[in-house]
Amino acid sequence: NHRYVFYDSRGEKRIPTSLVKLDIDNAVVKWFSRPEKKVYIRKDYLSRELLDQYCTDEQLRDNDPSLVQRAEKIRATLDTFGFAACFPGYHKKDLLGILFVGPKIGGIGFTYDDLLFLQTLAMDASMAMITAEYQKALARKILDLEESLAVINDLRMKDREKYLQTIVTLANTVD
């Protein structure tokens, strides 16, 4: 029941945020969430250039044609929306989101430092999502505890009133 929703778009080729929803069976999501046993492929990012290499690699095509087909689907997805690269964000081994970026201004490719920065950004965004979930859960628990404490205090007040009534009743019977 997982769905990855496109959240924001900026720049000249702005994409409506409600337009893109990636289900768990989407090729991009599968790429980053499924382990590959036969061959080594990148799981830390995908760029248009890297996908071109996968799609034209004859050895990869011979060893795992389905992987090449998935790379071709991802390349088509990137082309459709004008993305140049995508970076997964994980918590432990769970894919939480994917950061899609357009081409670098000026038309030059991403440098190694750019790729590292964008990978870090995707991971930081994932950690921020987890932190927000933890904070939300903690706030719910605090509210539950406050409600429980109010019930306990109410019961204590009722017990105190009964105790005082018992003392007064006993004191009246002694007289």
Side-chain angles (χ1 to χ4, degrees):
N1 219 10
H2 287 77
R3 174 173 272 183
Y4 299 86
V5 179
F6 190 72
Y7 182 70
D8 196 11
S9 177
R10 298 182 189 272
E12 292 177 14
K13 297 179 182 178
R14 197 171 164 84
I15 299 171
T17 56
S18 61
L19 182 63
V20 181
K21 292 181 173 73
L22 303 177
D23 290 320
I24 195 108
D25 61 344
N26 176 276
V28 179
V29 175
K30 281 183 180 180
W31 186 278
F32 290 122
S33 57
R34 285 184 16 198
E36 300 297 333
K37 295 177 182 165
K38 295 180 185 178
V39 293
Y40 173 77
I41 59 169
R42 292 201 79 97
K43 293 292 188 167
D44 51 348
Y45 78 93
L46 281 176
S47 66
R48 182 69 169 78
E49 293 80 17
L50 189 58
L51 288 165
D52 287 343
Q53 289 175 14
Y54 287 150
C55 293
T56 58
D57 185 323
E58 291 301 323
Q59 185 179 2
L60 187 60
R61 188 173 294 281
D62 292 339
N63 289 340
D64 195 346
S66 69
L67 185 118
V68 174
Q69 289 172 345
R70 287 193 352 246
E72 289 169 345
K73 285 181 185 178
I74 295 168
R75 184 172 61 178
T77 300
L78 293 183
D79 288 346
T80 298
F81 297 106
F83 298 136
C86 52
F87 303 83
Y90 296 100
H91 176 253
K92 299 183 182 174
K93 291 186 179 186
D94 297 328
L95 179 66
L96 294 185
I98 302 170
L99 172 67
F100 290 92
V101 296
K104 193 171 175 180
I105 295 175
I108 57 173
F110 292 106
T111 66
Y112 179 73
D113 288 340
D114 293 335
L115 295 172
L116 286 177
F117 171 77
L118 291 167
Q119 287 172 328
T120 302
L121 182 63
M123 291 306 292
D124 285 354
S126 294
M127 292 311 299
M129 289 171 26
I130 291 297
T131 300
E133 286 179 18
Y134 286 154
Q135 287 176 339
K136 194 175 183 180
L138 182 60
R140 276 193 302 261
K141 287 184 180 189
I142 288 171
L143 185 61
D144 291 345
L145 287 172
E146 287 172 347
E147 289 173 359
S148 297
L149 189 58
V151 169
I152 290 169
N153 284 335
D154 187 46
L155 290 172
R156 281 185 176 167
M157 290 303 289
K158 288 179 182 176
D159 279 351
R160 182 177 287 156
E161 288 173 13
K162 285 181 186 177
Y163 177 73
L164 289 174
Q165 287 175 354
T166 304
I167 296 290
V168 168
T169 304
L170 287 174
N172 287 337
T173 57
V174 170
D175 285 340

